[in-house]
Amino acid sequence: MTPTIAILLIITFVLSTVGLLLLIWSIANNQFSHGQAAARTIFSPGEEGHSEDPARAADEPFTGDTSEQTAAIEARWTADQSSRTAVLTWLSSSVFWLLLGSFFGLASSIKMHLPEFLTASEFLTFGRIRPVHLNAVTYGWASMAGIGVALFLIPRLFKTPLVGGKYAVIGGFIWNIGLVLGLSAITLGLSDGEEWLEFPWQIDILFVVGGALCAVPLLLTAANRKVEHLYVTSWYLMAALVWFPFLFLIANLPFAFPGASGATVNWWFAHNVLGLWVTPIGIGIAYYMIPKILGKPIISYQLSLIGFWSLALFYSQVGIHHLIGGPIPTWLVTLSIVHSVMMSIPVITVAINHHGTMIGNFSRLKDSPTLRFVWIGALMYTVASLQGSMEALRSINVITHFTHYTVAHAHLGMYAFLSFILFGAVYFIMPRLTNWEWPWRKLISLHFWLVSIGILIYVVSLTVAGWKQGVALLDAAMPFMNIVKMTLPALQARTVGGALMTLGHLVFAFHFIAMLMRSGAATEQPTLFRPATKENAQ
Amino acid sequence: MKRALAIMVGAALILLLATLTLVVMPYLQMSAEQVPPDLKPYTEQQQRGRQVYIANGCVYCHSQQPRDPSFAPGDKDRGWGRPSVPGDYAYDEPHLLGTMRTGPDLFNIGARQPSIDWQLMHLYNPRAIIKGSIMPSYPFLFRHVDEPAEGDKVVNIPPPYGPETGTIVATEDALALAEYMLALDHTYPAPTLPKKPPNSDEPKENRAP
């Protein structure tokens, strides 16, 4: 394939030149000089050293020692309130889709070991409820919660009230309509037939429009911003909101990519949904929450920027590792494997920042539910990503491909990493938006332990069984049905884990609704600027 | 604002590059790939069966892509067939390569189980044929009648899996799906598959599946 190699060489050349020009541009524009000053932009004046942790019981919130500092905190409170309607629209919807997606996931899991469970109706057959689960939790829960948290962070990061929040509210409605139509289409058997792209393309237009509408307040608020530095979280959020509509549009172009090239587009997209959509949102949130709760800036700001650009460069090309051994050109697979391994660079830079900032503060995990969720999420990002790089190697992939191992890996990423960070963020955000504290903190702990034990059972059982399944599949001396029987205990264990997770989500949703309704007694902490009359109730 | 725009444009350019290498170039290369002369286009009924396959999500448990025996010997040894090549999928829209093998690969199921009665009985209740199978039953693809009408395709289900009285007949969807299964037969030679280098024999002795 001489022309292919020639094109690759040309691209490499162009890429290095562009990289060099970017480097020169950024040095000329002082991009690297901010260093730790930029890392401190998330704090109000005088706030550094004070923890902001609205879900926690014990500590006094920082309201400023001088009038200037108090004014800054009040400005932040105004900024928080400005995004209220938009954020609550997206978050409330996401909690609904989380519950729906959990029940469909649980039912799919039960069907894997009880094949006669709910087989009478075509609408509840395994091959339809499984994609309903995936799409509900990916586009309903993870994407909507991610956008909701992003909308909350935008005014905070730019230190100015959200401009154009109504576009995001309209976007949220359109997105929800898309989900209802899309999930109904799958249930009715109208799936497009490709994993992660099941929604019929006509419905996908709604997601492109809904997502693009969320970019409007981002751009308007960015234009209005009162900070000089763009904190790294805003880099991730801006990039993610550029990437998603673009990706979703190309991957859904109807009938453009037939046959085997359709598979490459399918997996290019499916991995980019993880790499360029939910991952930047998850990492970006952790980059904000961890230092904010600890009251201490991240340890290396420059490193965070290297992490950002290397993530963009490497993650965008890893998708074809889903087709190792498949009917596609070898150079393509190799390209994706190389990039998958190179992903360890952004992963390690993010790990140094997230976990390095935590060093010396691990005791805070005990009393801060937000930090516990967010940091464990960040830790699982490191684990899942390094595991993913390993899985892309041909020698490992030949075993793990086509097995439950991959399913465990996917949940490690989408759940133990992303969903944990989103849970933590919701616990942080809601008290600030509703000016009310979480009524029953024990429920936060209950939620944490249910989902933690649940995902642990889930991942461990399927990882072990999947590996054994993969080894056995390579050896034709082992009859296929024996392999099926071998995996059964793990499939049953997955149902137990999944049930615990679903139970945890019920607790979470109940608490979330109680928060929206301002249930429970007004207790002492940690709401800023609550009307003084309520301060002493109870 | 300049810096915000720079980040967004930079991010878009990087994705553009990835689109070029992972979408455009493979498409150009693979659409030029030769279609095996023995590959037949799907009939209307088989195409309908393919839609039933998609609608009921068979792809979530079954792949259609045997790997090269020098890479993953189990695929060929289990009788799943020679490694597939891009040309084999020339008429597949959308692709159904699959990523999961909860059940076996189906690239050559039509060659392995060429009987339509086997296929229909297996769809009605997989456990009627394969003990311990965890594949779901698809009763909604069949009709339960007292007396089969003229032209009905009767499916004889061995007890205790069938109904106590009456007969099970296949719907048009079931017949189409079964016909699609039978069409999944890629045992013809693939002209684009690289010829074996002289010093490498069959990677493993051929075990009977």
Side-chain angles (χ1 to χ4, degrees):
Chain A
M1 272 281 108
T2 331
T4 313
I5 294 168
I7 294 173
L8 272 179
L9 277 175
I10 293 168
I11 289 178
T12 319
F13 176 73
V14 171
L15 182 66
S16 1
T17 318
V18 170
L20 191 66
L21 287 175
L22 265 177
L23 187 68
I24 294 171
W25 175 83
S26 46
I27 292 171
N29 281 283
N30 258 345
Q31 291 291 314
F32 287 110
S33 64
H34 320 314
Q36 289 311 89
R40 292 197 165 83
T41 49
I42 55 170
F43 298 109
S44 297
E47 197 194 8
E48 198 184 331
H50 295 269
S51 159
E52 188 192 358
D53 193 352
R56 187 165 167 247
D59 60 0
E60 189 73 25
F62 176 73
T63 50
D65 297 327
T66 65
S67 59
E68 189 203 348
Q69 293 177 0
T70 307
I73 297 272
E74 270 168 16
R76 192 188 73 199
W77 183 82
T78 315
D80 284 354
Q81 298 303 310
S82 72
S83 63
R84 201 184 131 123
T85 316
V87 176
L88 287 182
T89 306
W90 285 82
L91 286 188
S92 312
S93 313
S94 77
V95 174
F96 170 77
W97 295 114
L98 172 69
L99 283 187
L100 185 108
S102 307
F103 284 118
F104 275 86
L106 187 57
S108 309
S109 177
I110 294 172
K111 278 168 173 279
M112 290 284 270
H113 53 87
L114 291 176
E116 292 295 341
F117 177 65
L118 296 179
T119 48
S121 164
E122 58 187 306
F123 307 121
L124 293 175
T125 192
F126 174 81
R128 297 192 191 182
I129 64 172
R130 181 197 178 283
V132 168
H133 160 69
L134 182 138
N135 286 284
V137 294
T138 305
Y139 302 114
W141 156 244
S143 299
M144 292 201 82
I147 290 177
V149 177
L151 287 168
F152 173 80
L153 290 179
I154 289 166
R156 280 195 160 214
L157 291 165
F158 298 147
K159 304 214 165 161
T160 182
L162 189 71
V163 186
K166 61 174 185 291
Y167 293 104
V169 176
I170 299 169
F173 277 106
I174 294 178
W175 192 286
N176 274 321
I177 294 171
L179 278 164
V180 171
L181 293 179
L183 297 176
S184 309
I186 295 174
T187 307
L188 295 173
L190 301 171
S191 157
D192 264 359
E194 294 187 7
E195 285 181 73
W196 296 85
L197 292 168
E198 283 94 348
F199 291 160
W201 64 269
Q202 297 89 337
I203 295 171
D204 290 325
I205 297 168
L206 295 173
F207 293 93
V208 176
V209 173
L213 280 172
C214 290
V216 175
L218 177 75
L219 291 172
L220 293 179
T221 315
N224 246 12
R225 75 192 149 103
K226 301 225 168 53
V227 282
E228 195 206 337
H229 302 301
L230 284 173
Y231 184 64
V232 61
T233 300
S234 37
W235 293 51
Y236 280 110
L237 297 182
M238 285 191 291
L241 277 166
V242 170
W243 283 326
F244 182 75
F246 185 74
L247 278 171
F248 209 59
L249 195 67
I250 292 182
N252 278 298
L253 286 180
F255 317 121
F257 308 103
S261 66
T264 61
V265 179
N266 186 178
W267 288 106
W268 167 79
F269 169 79
H271 214 103
N272 280 349
V273 166
L274 307 172
L276 299 183
W277 174 234
V278 297
T279 299
I281 290 180
I283 304 178
I285 296 172
Y287 260 125
Y288 183 84
M289 294 291 168
I290 294 176
K292 207 73 179 61
I293 296 169
L294 294 178
K296 149 185 176 195
I298 54 167
I299 58 173
S300 170
Y301 194 73
Q302 278 94 342
L303 212 50
S304 73
L305 300 189
I306 293 172
F308 171 81
W309 288 113
S310 53
L311 175 119
L313 194 59
F314 299 136
Y315 227 149
S316 55
Q317 313 222 8
V318 304
I320 313 303
H321 67 212
H322 287 269
L323 293 166
I324 296 174
I328 51 165
T330 317
W331 66 262
L332 188 58
V333 175
T334 308
L335 185 72
S336 273
I337 296 176
V338 170
H339 280 96
S340 306
V341 175
M342 293 300 277
M343 265 307 290
S344 40
I345 294 175
V347 169
I348 290 170
T349 58
V350 168
I352 290 174
N353 259 323
H354 286 172
H355 313 318
T357 309
M358 282 294 294
I359 288 175
N361 295 289
F362 285 105
S363 59
R364 295 292 313 279
L365 293 174
K366 267 187 290 189
D367 58 358
S368 170
T370 314
L371 190 64
R372 213 187 296 160
F373 272 115
V374 173
W375 179 70
I376 289 184
L379 184 66
M380 290 304 128
Y381 171 68
T382 313
V383 174
S385 301
L386 295 178
Q387 185 196 23
S389 297
M390 299 290 293
E391 273 180 86
L393 300 174
R394 281 192 170 87
S395 52
I396 310 269
N397 187 275
V398 71
I399 294 171
T400 60
H401 195 24
F402 301 123
T403 70
H404 299 299
Y405 187 95
T406 315
V407 181
H409 170 70
H411 284 79
L412 194 63
M414 282 297 279
Y415 196 84
F417 154 49
L418 183 73
S419 298
F420 266 53
I421 286 184
L422 291 172
F423 288 140
V426 170
Y427 283 124
F428 183 98
I429 290 172
M430 289 301 284
R432 284 289 178 263
L433 290 186
T434 58
N435 293 313
W436 197 253
E437 58 261 34
W438 291 99
W440 302 284
R441 286 203 183 79
K442 286 224 167 78
L443 288 187
I444 305 182
S445 278
L446 182 64
H447 171 209
F448 176 81
W449 288 110
L450 282 172
V451 296
S452 298
I453 296 170
I455 190 69
L456 188 72
I457 296 175
Y458 190 117
V459 171
V460 170
S461 61
L462 285 195
T463 300
V464 174
W467 185 268
K468 284 162 71 182
Q469 179 192 13
V471 172
L473 277 170
L474 288 180
D475 178 11
M478 173 88 149
F480 195 87
M481 277 314 297
N482 291 18
I483 303 175
V484 171
K485 287 195 190 93
M486 182 178 76
T487 58
L488 271 180
L491 298 177
Q492 288 156 348
R494 189 242 307 260
T495 296
V496 174
L500 289 177
M501 286 149 74
T502 308
L503 215 56
H505 300 158
L506 285 172
V507 172
F508 172 64
F510 169 77
H511 212 182
F512 184 89
I513 293 167
M515 192 70 172
L516 283 181
M517 298 169 66
R518 293 173 153 229
S519 301
T523 46
E524 70 283 10
Q525 289 293 339
T527 311
L528 287 165
F529 308 116
R530 190 192 310 120
T533 46
K534 286 185 185 159
E535 205 72 63
N536 296 324
Q538 204 193 9
Chain B
M1 199 57 200
K2 203 173 72 189
R3 190 165 304 153
L5 272 180
I7 293 171
M8 291 191 185
V9 171
L13 281 179
I14 287 180
L15 185 56
L16 202 65
L17 173 81
T19 314
L20 213 61
T21 52
L22 262 62
V23 174
V24 178
M25 280 174 51
Y27 174 71
L28 292 180
Q29 186 181 344
M30 280 191 273
S31 54
E33 187 98 8
Q34 188 193 343
V35 178
D38 300 324
L39 177 69
K40 289 192 280 293
Y42 297 113
T43 64
E44 208 172 300
Q45 190 188 25
Q46 288 160 355
Q47 194 66 47
R48 174 175 173 173
R50 206 168 182 273
Q51 284 306 322
V52 178
Y53 187 98
I54 291 170
N56 293 295
C58 308
V59 72
Y60 300 109
C61 290
H62 294 285
S63 59
Q64 293 187 15
Q65 46 162 331
R67 293 173 289 180
D68 195 294
S70 64
F71 176 59
D75 292 16
K76 186 163 188 286
D77 295 352
R78 287 182 189 280
W80 292 346
R82 62 161 172 81
S84 58
V85 296
D88 290 328
Y89 303 96
Y91 304 116
D92 284 14
E93 199 175 298
H95 82 92
L96 293 170
L97 290 182
T99 49
M100 193 66 189
R101 286 179 177 166
T102 307
D105 189 276
L106 297 181
F107 195 58
N108 284 301
I109 185 65
R112 289 208 302 281
Q113 299 293 352
S115 148
I116 194 159
D117 293 305
W118 187 97
Q119 296 289 352
L120 289 170
M121 206 193 301
H122 186 252
L123 284 171
Y124 180 78
N125 189 333
R127 280 154 295 285
I129 297 183
I130 295 160
K131 218 168 149 273
S133 167
I134 56 169
M135 176 168 146
S137 312
Y138 294 92
F140 51 85
L141 291 177
F142 297 84
R143 281 182 300 125
H144 183 192
V145 294
D146 296 330
E147 277 298 318
E150 175 111 5
D152 272 355
K153 172 72 186 170
V154 175
V155 188
N156 290 311
I157 313 290
Y161 299 98
E164 292 190 351
T165 59
T167 317
I168 295 297
V169 297
T171 61
E172 288 301 314
D173 275 351
L175 285 170
L177 179 56
E179 286 295 340
Y180 172 61
M181 291 287 103
L182 299 187
L184 287 176
D185 180 347
H186 300 88
T187 44
Y188 54 81
T192 51
L193 218 51
K195 299 275 179 293
K196 276 187 211 75
N199 55 350
S200 85
D201 294 315
E202 285 286 317
K204 283 242 165 94
E205 75 279 16
N206 247 339
R207 284 197 210 95

